[in-house]
């Protein structure tokens, strides 16, 4: 089955809402209609940029899809500083990154909390981008498959097959994030194939429709060889997404 490529920019804590306007105008200038025909292009800015990005996308008809970097699982309540899935859906957010390794490592997010977010995102009509990946120590101990298998099973707990179709998984080996050292295409493809086998165990043939991205030091110079692999359906891009020229170079991996 051929799956539609999905390439997402994870700006992390970069670019205020004014910068987001300049960025999107430049990126829209750099990309052609056929780029958008070929790839889902998702922009995941900080929360404070979302309203600006939504307004620009709607006013200028840019075919970008809007993503958020995080969400709280509850729809409302006494959760000072948090943003609910209802609020994101109102801003035409379509994708939400869930369980990024920085959130797990720096902010103590557990598998259970990640699962609650996945369920909440789906319940509000958005698509989670479910992140998983091993540390260098786990990799060296031969635990990569067990780690991602556990993270994926936990994240999808209670998610039905019909909902799983509306999920994206991002395999992001932690040792490759922001380090300049990407996994080799063969290595990433092997682990992503393993993730798909886990999804097949959970959801049967639906697993063939679920897009699985690779993330970790993706850039214009390595995206083509990654995307050439049969199991890799896209990329979650951090550092190289901060500059519109670089990110356009990643989106144009087929050119
Ligand atoms: P990177 O980040 O591209 O800078 O390695 C990827 C990510 O954290 O999503």
């Amino acid at each position: 089955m051929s799956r539609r490529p999905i390439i997402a920019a994870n700006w992390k804590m970069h670019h205020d809402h004014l910068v987001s306007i300049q960025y999107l105008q430049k990126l829209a200038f750099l990309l052609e209609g056929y780029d958008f025909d070929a790839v889902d292009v998702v922009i995941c800015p900080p929360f404070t940029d979302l309203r600006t990005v939504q307004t620009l996308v709607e006013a200028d008809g840019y075919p970008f899809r809007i993503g958020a970097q995080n969400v709280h699982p509850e729809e409302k309540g006494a959760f000072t500083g948090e943003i609910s899935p209802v609020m994101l859906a109102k801003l035409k957010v379509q994708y939400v990154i869930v369980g990024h390794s920085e959130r797990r490592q720096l902010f103590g997010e557990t598998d259970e909390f990640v699962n609650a977010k996945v369920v909440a995102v789906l319940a509000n009509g958005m698509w989670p981008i479910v992140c998983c990946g091993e540390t260098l120590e786990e990799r060296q101990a031969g635990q990569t498959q067990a780690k991602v298998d556990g993270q994926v099973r936990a994240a999808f707990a209670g998610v039905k097959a019909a909902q799983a179709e509306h999920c994206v998984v991002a395999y992001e080996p932690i040792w490759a994030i922001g380090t300049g050292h990407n996994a080799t295409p063969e290595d990433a493809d092997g682990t992503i194939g393993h993730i798909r086998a886990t999804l097949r165990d959970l959801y049967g043939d639906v697993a063939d429709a679920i897009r699985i991205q690779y993330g970790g030091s993706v850039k214009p110079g390595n995206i083509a060889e990654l995307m050439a692999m049969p199991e890799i359906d896209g990329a979650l891009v951090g550092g190289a997404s901060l500059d519109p020229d670089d990110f356009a170079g990643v989106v144009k991996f087929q050119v």
Side-chain angles (χ1 to χ4, degrees):
M1 172 183 284
S2 74
R3 293 173 290 268
R4 181 172 167 77
I6 174 166
I7 296 190
N10 175 12
W11 290 356
K12 308 192 180 183
M13 200 169 72
H14 297 279
H15 295 342
D16 61 43
H17 74 287
L18 297 173
V19 175
S20 77
I21 297 173
Q22 299 161 5
Y23 179 108
L24 286 189
Q25 288 173 336
K26 174 110 190 258
L27 185 62
F29 171 76
L30 293 168
L31 296 178
E32 312 285 343
Y34 55 77
D35 294 317
F36 292 105
D37 290 344
V39 179
D40 282 346
V41 182
V42 186
I43 306 294
C44 305
F47 286 140
T48 53
D49 300 13
L50 281 173
R51 174 68 173 145
T52 304
V53 169
Q54 178 219 356
T55 305
L56 193 63
V57 162
E58 287 185 349
D60 290 2
Y62 293 149
F64 300 115
R65 297 173 196 253
I66 307 171
Q69 298 175 18
N70 189 24
V71 68
H72 190 278
E74 298 294 331
E75 300 204 339
K76 61 182 175 188
F79 301 101
T80 301
E82 294 295 317
I83 301 292
S84 93
V86 178
M87 297 169 181
L88 296 180
K90 277 260 160 48
L91 287 166
K92 303 283 167 53
V93 167
Q94 188 178 349
Y95 293 94
V96 184
I97 300 172
V98 174
H100 190 281
S101 61
E102 286 153 16
R103 298 233 43 101
R104 294 180 192 257
Q105 291 193 316
L106 302 175
F107 302 98
E109 292 196 4
T110 61
D111 280 342
E112 291 69 31
F113 198 44
V114 170
N115 173 237
K117 293 182 183 206
V118 169
V119 169
V121 167
L122 288 165
N124 284 277
M126 299 177 290
W127 293 50
I129 298 178
V130 182
C131 300
C132 62
E134 82 285 4
T135 64
L136 186 59
E137 294 70 38
E138 289 162 342
R139 179 182 186 78
Q140 288 169 341
Q143 295 168 351
T144 298
Q145 294 196 353
K147 175 75 180 292
V148 296
D149 185 79
Q151 286 180 320
V152 168
R153 287 180 188 275
F156 281 82
V159 173
K160 308 239 176 345
Q163 296 176 301
E165 274 188 290
H166 296 190
C167 294
V168 176
V169 176
Y171 167 57
E172 299 206 302
I174 294 168
W175 49 270
I177 295 178
T179 59
H181 303 297
N182 61 293
T184 65
E186 293 73 19
D187 193 311
D189 196 63
T191 304
I192 288 177
H194 175 78
I195 292 169
R196 197 175 307 285
T198 299
L199 292 169
R200 186 166 292 114
D201 186 40
L202 294 171
Y203 301 116
D205 289 347
V206 169
D208 290 323
I210 299 175
R211 293 174 297 175
I212 308 180
Q213 301 172 307
Y214 167 76
S217 298
V218 172
K219 43 188 178 278
N222 60 22
I223 183 69
E225 57 184 18
L226 288 161
M227 293 302 289
M229 304 306 293
E231 295 289 352
I232 301 180
D233 304 317
L236 184 54
V237 189
S241 79
L242 295 181
D243 180 287
D245 283 296
D246 287 343
F247 189 60
V250 174
V251 172
K252 288 174 170 290
F253 69 92
Q254 295 175 105
V255 177

